[in-house]
Amino acid sequence: MSLGSVPLKYKISIDRDQCMKCMRCVDNCSYGVYRIEDDKILIDSRKCTACHRCISMCPRDAINLQEKPVDYRSHPLWTAEAREDVINQARSGKIILAGMGNARDYPVIFDRLVLDACQVTNPSIDPLREPMELRTYIGKKPAKLEFTKNNGDIDLTTKLAPNLKLDTPIMIGHMSYGAISLNAQLSLAKAVAKTGTFMGTGEGGMHEAIYPYQDHTIVQIASGRFGVDIDYLERGAAIEIKVGQGAKPGIGGHLPGEKVCADVSCTRMIPLGSDAISPAPHHDIYSIEDLAQLVRSLKEATNWEKPVFVKIAAVHNVAAIAAGIARSDADAVVVDGFKGGTGAAPKVFRDNVGIPIEAAIAAVDEKLNDQGIRNEVSLIASGGIRNSADITKSIALGADAVYIGTASLIALGCRVCGNCYRGLCPWGIATQKPELVNRIDPEIGAEHVANLIKAWTLEISELMGAAGLNSIESLRGNRERLRGYMLDQGLLDVLKIESVGA
Amino acid sequence: MCGIIGVIDRTMSRMDGSSIKEALSLMDERGSGEGAGYVAYGIYPDYADCYAIHVFFDNLLEPKTMVDKILQTWGRIVHQEEIPTYEQPGLKKEHISWRYFFKPYTDLMVGTTNPDDDNVKRLVMSINSDVKGALVFSSGKNMGVFKAAGWPEDVANFFRIEDYKGYIWLAHNRYPTNTSGWWGGAHPFNLLDWSVVHNGEITSYGTNRRYVESNGYQCTMLTDTEVVAYLFDLLGRQHGLPSETVVTALAPPFWDEIDEMPEKQEEFLRTLRLTYGPALMNGPFAIVVATKDGIVGFTDRIKLRPLVVGENGSRLYISSEEAAIRTMDPEVKTIYMPRAGEPVIGRVTV
């Protein structure tokens, strides 16, 4: 018995009076929505992902896309999505894959947090006319200053551990070559070099095109160890061990063989066209002691010249885990929240596992502070950060800096259609098809991403100035400058903030 | 808005409290009648070896019994008495001000280089957070804080501060914006020998508070200034930084300036700033901190509050207003204004 087809998600139409049949829609759609027959453009709406490439390339604004209203019998529990997932799995017997971040309608805590501003008693600071310091150092800090006094002079005995110097607390998170295209990665690399910050290579190794920007990259070691050798470690400004990822806590990664082209295979050090499967655990990390040993091994391998970060997904006991990591010689803990993006994850994980970054960062910061070691280790927040206010709030909740991912891709054109795992990204981002990859000019892409970072940096400066702060150290963990709006007491307690009006 | 004034006689010659009362009252425009206070060093020569612990009691029953018990567990009360006060028409007496002269048992605190101070610090924190109806507001040796909710002249007359003689005096006239005027919220704030008067608001309070609390201090005064006393105790006493270095940690130069400095200085300031980032203070402030060896005045890094310095022989004055200094010492010779974040230090020379 056939299950039949499911209804359309999107309906595409062309205004035939406007259309001049330039065929750009046909050329641009990598999903095959458009085809030409008898001098007429035909549409197969069923293939549409709402990536908007056709619409943005149409010179006549002739294309119209509508999200189709549900045409199943409406039901509050058995939503269209629930029914379609059942049908698809009944048909395939497979795990449902999904791209980008959590697509469920969970409340966004960031949107229930409001920032403070100065009024009469306390002048706000104008960043256009006064210094505003966003410089951030990521890495281990001493607990106290050790020195000797020498005729009234102070001679330091404290020697700082290597730290990354960031001109802005915004970094770009790890998106591997393989998951994204080389032109996308190159755009990000040029952008971070322009803006004095850093990007992650992801677990895909480092392509030689990125070498000129290696001083602005953080190289990643994930459970698959793709692309890892001593040259790779030495190229990065810092090293990150990825234990978990916000979009898919507790599982490994999977890059389908179709995306493993010659260049990717070479960079990852795996056979051409083979699936790149990262195991769920690192097979040399079965305990916190194992992690501590790996951190030290990596430092030993690189002469103790590079900070080592450990990235974990935000899960229920994230604070205790982070405290363990902080005591492992790691220089920074990266916590990735459950709205984090991904190239591909089982949908059930993406939408159901983990906790929001806001709660995770507050809990981790609090735990480290209670243990008196907060300032000795850096804390990087990621997963669902959409704008400068989210960043400012993350820092006020206790982060030193943030990683952005999806936002930087949107700056490259991404329309969050969520089909990254198919390798057909029409914007040339999550694809390895040369004709699609070429759609990104790395120079222009870099300019857009750099503009985004600059704009957000300006906005953070303004928000800080309004709150009477001229250095980012004074924003970090400054819960006084935040209030919760319509949050329940339990969450206010976790976030350690007061309600509006208090 | 608040008015502050401090004076040190570097030869340790003692001054009575009458002139600082006048100087502070001159700055009534900077207050609102909701808090004023004074601190003087050198006032208890007969008990110079004891910690002078000043406590506000709501009553002398439960809270005092508990405080007595705590103090007697951790040391010996050499002498105790009610601090003499004199009824003032404009000042409502809300607490009983009590003083203990206390010697901690040194052997009860192990593992620290300064067990007596650590013992007393811990006692102050525990009484202030755990004993309802008792508030320790002064805990140094041979010094004492006197403060209440009221105008400067009323508070001075209430404690009759002209009866005390000290070689360092600080005074504060409060215009509260954080919390309503209550006795505990009046300045100076004190811990051990550190006393602080402050004009301004500390916008980094949340960060600073978290930092001191992670180092064993507890903020109980419901206002931002107390963290300054704790930061000085942590950095100055526990970590052993000289006063000017503590000031540099709290109000450091901007990165652009640090980047331009000679290598050794650049490294020092970068290390200091990375180590003590959470201690950096933001917001408008002019602060004078006293300890038994001297005073230090400084402002925030962009000088959003006024600070004036006057000198006359062995005396150094630091105040919000020149007129206040001239009221205190009409013969004052040198008057100048320090740059933002620059510490002004007066040390005893004997």
Side-chain angles (χ1 to χ4, degrees), chain B residues 221-238:
Chain B
M221 306 284 180
L222 314 174
T223 186
D224 51 5
T225 307
E226 69 174 324
V227 294
V228 184
Y230 303 159
L231 286 170
F232 267 86
D233 189 56
L234 177 66
L235 272 56
R237 182 176 68 85
Q238 300 214 53

Side-chain angles (χ1 to χ4, degrees), chain A residues 121-122 133 135 137 142 144-145 147 155 159 365 369 375 467-471 473-474 476-478 481, chain B residues 177 201 203-204 206-207 210 214 239-241 254-255 259 264 267 273-277 280 282 284 301 305:
Chain A
T121 59
N122 183 354
E133 299 188 310
R135 186 189 292 186
Y137 284 90
K144 59 182 282 202
L145 202 65
F147 57 91
D155 288 333
K159 286 282 168 245
D365 176 67
N369 201 53
N375 193 47
L469 302 170
N470 60 15
S471 93
E473 289 105 312
S474 301
R476 193 175 304 139
N478 196 342
R481 306 259 80 91
Chain B
T177 49
E201 263 183 52
T203 49
S204 55
T207 302
R210 224 167 52 104
S214 80
H239 291 188
L241 302 181
F254 288 95
W255 283 119
D259 290 346
K264 189 179 170 191
E267 188 196 354
R273 214 169 148 176
L274 261 64
T275 309
Y276 294 112
L280 188 152
N282 235 302
R301 308 192 299 159
R305 287 290 184 274

Side-chain angles (χ1 to χ4, degrees), chain A residues 99-404:
Chain A
M100 307 311 295
N102 192 317
R104 286 274 182 88
D105 187 21
Y106 293 99
V108 180
I109 301 173
F110 280 131
D111 294 340
R112 304 264 174 111
L113 297 175
V114 284
L115 289 158
D116 193 19
C118 296
Q119 297 297 305
V120 177
T121 59
N122 183 354
S124 35
I125 301 166
D126 182 348
L128 290 174
R129 293 167 184 82
E130 299 279 354
M132 189 57 67
E133 299 188 310
L134 273 71
R135 186 189 292 186
T136 302
Y137 284 90
I138 300 291
K140 272 257 188 286
K141 316 281 190 300
K144 59 182 282 202
L145 202 65
E146 305 283 355
F147 57 91
T148 51
K149 284 186 190 165
N150 180 12
N151 289 335
D153 231 19
I154 287 185
D155 288 333
L156 283 180
T157 42
T158 300
K159 286 282 168 245
L160 287 174
N163 269 253
L164 294 189
K165 180 180 148 225
L166 281 58
D167 291 340
T168 170
I170 308 166
M171 294 188 282
I172 296 179
H174 291 259
M175 293 175 279
S176 69
Y177 175 45
I180 63 171
S181 67
L182 187 59
N183 279 359
Q185 217 182 40
L186 204 49
S187 303
L188 302 177
K190 287 171 187 277
V192 292
K194 276 180 189 214
T195 50
T197 183
F198 295 81
M199 67 169 274
T201 59
E203 58 169 322
M206 192 191 288
H207 190 276
E208 60 183 29
I210 307 294
Y211 291 174
Y213 312 98
Q214 62 187 24
D215 292 345
H216 291 271
T217 64
I218 301 157
V219 295
Q220 194 178 56
I221 296 181
S223 59
R225 298 289 193 270
F226 300 123
V228 177
D229 64 9
I230 189 65
D231 288 342
Y232 175 66
L233 297 181
E234 281 175 355
R235 285 186 192 285
I239 301 168
E240 178 169 309
I241 302 168
K242 173 185 144 183
V243 175
Q245 186 181 341
K248 39 184 172 178
I251 61 171
H254 183 178
L255 185 72
E258 301 87 76
K259 277 177 131 178
V260 182
C261 62
D263 239 8
V264 170
S265 104
C266 192
T267 309
R268 287 214 175 205
M269 306 177 191
I270 55 171
L272 184 71
S274 68
D275 286 1
I277 298 176
S278 310
H282 285 245
H283 284 302
D284 54 358
I285 307 176
Y286 277 81
S287 65
I288 191 78
E289 302 89 310
D290 291 345
L291 174 72
Q293 283 180 12
L294 181 59
V295 170
R296 281 196 294 276
S297 312
L298 291 169
K299 290 194 168 188
E300 197 63 43
T302 51
N303 287 326
W304 295 78
E305 283 165 359
K306 294 178 196 299
V308 174
F309 305 173
V310 177
K311 172 172 163 177
I312 50 171
V315 289
H316 305 332
N317 59 339
V318 64
I321 299 162
I325 294 169
R327 293 177 184 283
S328 74
D329 274 338
D331 299 85
V333 183
V334 183
V335 182
D336 196 21
F338 95 141
K339 299 222 172 201
T342 179
K347 191 175 160 198
V348 66
F349 273 81
R350 188 194 68 174
D351 292 350
N352 296 283
V353 186
I355 67 169
I357 190 60
E358 302 91 325
I361 218 72
V364 170
D365 176 67
E366 196 63 23
K367 173 76 89 183
L368 296 176
N369 201 53
D370 285 349
Q371 298 190 356
I373 53 170
R374 173 61 190 91
N375 193 47
E376 292 170 51
V377 66
S378 297
L379 199 50
I380 300 163
S382 64
I385 285 167
R386 305 156 300 170
N387 50 48
S388 61
D390 288 357
I391 298 169
T392 310
K393 291 168 187 177
S394 299
I395 296 172
L397 286 170
D400 288 84
V402 301
Y403 272 152
I404 58 168

Side-chain angles (χ1 to χ4, degrees), chain A residues 417-491:
Chain A
C417 75
N419 283 264
C420 328
Y421 56 97
R422 292 170 61 188
L424 292 171
C425 177
W427 292 91
I429 301 168
T431 178
Q432 301 303 331
K433 289 184 177 298
E435 67 277 19
L436 300 176
V437 173
N438 283 340
R439 291 179 180 183
I440 293 182
D441 176 332
E443 289 301 330
I444 297 170
E447 198 178 319
H448 290 157
V449 176
N451 279 344
L452 178 74
I453 294 174
K454 283 182 202 160
W456 283 3
T457 304
L458 288 173
E459 288 182 341
I460 296 168
S461 304
E462 291 285 352
L463 287 169
M464 282 171 52
L469 302 170
N470 60 15
S471 93
I472 201 146
E473 289 105 312
S474 301
L475 176 66
R476 193 175 304 139
N478 196 342
R479 319 281 175 92
E480 279 288 308
R481 306 259 80 91
L482 279 178
R483 289 292 185 274
Y485 188 35
M486 305 289 280
L487 287 175
D488 63 65
Q489 190 58 48
L491 198 45

Side-chain angles (χ1 to χ4, degrees), chain B residues 258-306:
Chain B
I258 295 175
D259 290 346
E260 297 300 315
M261 289 176 181
E263 195 183 330
K264 189 179 170 191
Q265 206 182 355
E266 186 274 338
E267 188 196 354
F268 174 71
L269 284 165
R270 185 163 38 88
T271 308
L272 185 75
R273 214 169 148 176
L274 261 64
T275 309
Y276 294 112
L280 188 152
M281 295 199 321
N282 235 302
F285 59 79
I287 287 175
V288 186
V289 177
T291 181
K292 63 181 190 310
D293 303 319
I295 62 174
V296 53
F298 62 108
T299 64
D300 63 82
R301 308 192 299 159
I302 50 176
K303 206 168 180 192
L304 294 168
R305 287 290 184 274

